[in-house]
């Protein structure tokens, strides 16, 4: 669906609930399609701080995402 609504050159911005599940896996799909990833950290949440912090670290360190407040 993502590839049908925006070109990879435009990037993809993410926010939502369950940073470590829904947001992370959708961002991985976008990354695999060639999108630059941006995550709005203040607009994401997980069930635990540890899960949230893990996902934010994964966005930055593995997907090369830009994290914005």
């Amino acid at each position: 669906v993502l590839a049908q609504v925006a070109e990879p050159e435009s990037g993809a911005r993410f926010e939502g609930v369950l940073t470590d599940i829904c947001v992370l896996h959708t961002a991985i799909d976008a990354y695999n399609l060639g999108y630059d990833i941006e995550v709005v950290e203040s607009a994401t949440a997980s069930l635990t701080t540890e899960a949230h912090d893990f996902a934010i670290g994964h966005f930055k360190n593995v997907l090369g995402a830009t994290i914005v407040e």
Side-chain angles (χ1 to χ4, degrees), residues 19-20 41-42 44-57:
T19 314
D20 57 314
E41 185 171 8
S42 62
T44 61
S46 291
L47 296 176
T48 66
T49 301
E50 293 82 10
H52 177 78
D53 292 344
F54 165 81
I56 294 298

Side-chain angles (χ1 to χ4, degrees), residues 54-66:
F54 165 81
I56 294 298
H58 192 84
F59 288 126
K60 288 191 289 192
N61 301 322
V62 177
L63 304 181
T66 300

Side-chain angles (χ1 to χ4, degrees), residues 6 9 24 31 42 57 69:
E9 297 81 27
L24 178 60
Y31 174 83
S42 62
E69 293 299 316

